[in-house]
Amino acid sequence: MEWSIQQLARLSGVTSRTLRHYDDLGLLPPTRVGANGYRHYDQAALVRLQRILLLRELGLGLPAIAEVLDGQTDDVAALTTHRLLLEQERERVDRLIASVTTTIERLEGGEELMAEEAFDGFDHTVYKEEVEQRWGADAYARSDRWWRGLGSEGQAAFRAEAAAIQTGFAAAHAAGTPAGDPAVQALAARHYAWVRAGWGDVAPSAEAYLGLGDMYVADPRFAKHYGGADGAAYVREAMGVYAASELA
């Protein structure tokens, strides 16, 4: 089945001009062009457009979207990553809704408003105290400066990389791939680079990296991103293999 550019524009909510612009950039070429010059799109093109629009929703610019699409050609894996990001965003929005609801209830009841409740869900600083306790105030300050310096597009790209790594680990775990397999270790290398970036480009020691793996298993807030305790334990094992071979 195919859709004309006008039909696709109506279904997706973007303009025909935007679709032509995506074609010019190489983001979304038509499946075929008729003798009359009209563009037509098949199901694969629809899925690709969905991915483009999802990445736009996450705040990525078109050059960054092109890089993501070029680097992740498996549509199912890519959409799994998108779904994970959307679920994480839903959790954040749910926290915002709960925060506003609590504020309304306290104001209506004439109760004292707690600042922590009022601003829960607005940004990453909700973990400030915990990070400082685990790794020190300097570590938090360095990471905070780096995060704010990324801007919205950089932050979205960082989240997208996290979701892609999480999806990769989950798929490898589900397939029964050993933690020491080269493909899994490639994921571990990406994960280590991601952690390093988040720590203000300071390379975690083997001890710190292994401690992070322990935290993934022990803390349900982190374990859920890897499919629960079993998935987190698999990731920790992969991190352990990586640390032994690369960080020793």
Side-chain angles (χ1 to χ4, degrees):
M1 184 175 181
E2 290 184 339
W3 293 264
S4 70
I5 189 171
Q6 291 82 6
Q7 289 172 321
L8 185 56
R10 184 175 66 253
L11 288 168
S12 63
V14 302
T15 65
S16 297
R17 180 179 180 180
T18 296
L19 293 175
R20 288 192 291 270
H21 181 55
Y22 289 168
D23 181 14
D24 292 339
L25 295 176
L27 278 177
L28 186 68
T31 305
R32 69 178 181 88
V33 179
N36 55 6
Y38 288 175
R39 294 169 169 86
H40 297 270
Y41 301 84
D42 63 7
Q43 178 175 293
L46 262 67
V47 172
R48 187 174 177 87
L49 178 58
Q50 184 187 46
R51 292 178 59 188
I52 291 170
L53 297 180
L54 284 167
L55 290 167
R56 291 287 285 174
E57 287 288 333
L58 293 171
L60 269 67
L62 295 180
I65 290 174
E67 291 182 10
V68 172
L69 293 176
D70 289 341
Q72 199 170 20
T73 57
D74 185 328
D75 286 332
V76 173
L79 290 171
T80 300
T81 297
H82 290 314
R83 183 177 64 186
L84 179 58
L85 286 167
L86 291 170
E87 288 171 349
Q88 292 174 349
E89 179 63 12
R90 180 178 63 190
E91 291 177 5
R92 188 187 71 84
V93 172
D94 284 345
R95 285 172 53 205
L96 288 172
I97 292 172
S99 174
V100 172
T101 300
T102 299
T103 299
I104 292 171
E105 291 174 349
R106 290 191 180 278
L107 291 175
E108 288 179 339
E111 301 178 41
E112 181 179 355
L113 180 65
M114 303 295 291
E116 293 81 359
E117 295 173 335
F119 298 108
D120 184 31
F122 279 92
D123 60 36
H124 67 292
T125 58
V126 65
Y127 298 115
K128 178 178 184 293
E129 182 176 349
E130 183 174 352
V131 171
E132 289 181 341
Q133 289 176 349
R134 287 180 181 272
W135 294 290
D138 288 345
Y140 174 81
R142 184 173 59 247
S143 179
D144 181 64
R145 287 192 301 270
W146 165 82
W147 178 255
R148 296 182 187 279
L150 285 179
S152 59
E153 183 171 324
Q155 291 169 5
F158 185 76
R159 291 191 184 102
E161 174 67 358
I165 293 168
Q166 291 162 10
T167 300
F169 275 132
H173 183 222
T177 308
D181 185 270
V184 179
Q185 285 305 293
L187 280 171
R190 285 177 65 185
H191 179 263
Y192 183 81
W194 177 80
V195 171
R196 175 173 181 162
W199 287 16
D201 202 31
V202 173
S205 65
E207 181 181 4
Y209 192 55
L210 293 173
L212 185 62
D214 290 337
M215 188 175 68
Y216 285 171
V217 175
D219 194 326
R221 294 174 303 172
F222 295 98
K224 69 180 180 181
H225 296 304
Y226 298 101
D230 287 345
Y234 175 78
V235 173
R236 179 177 64 180
E237 183 181 358
M239 294 168 66
V241 174
Y242 181 82
S245 63
E246 303 295 333
L247 306 179

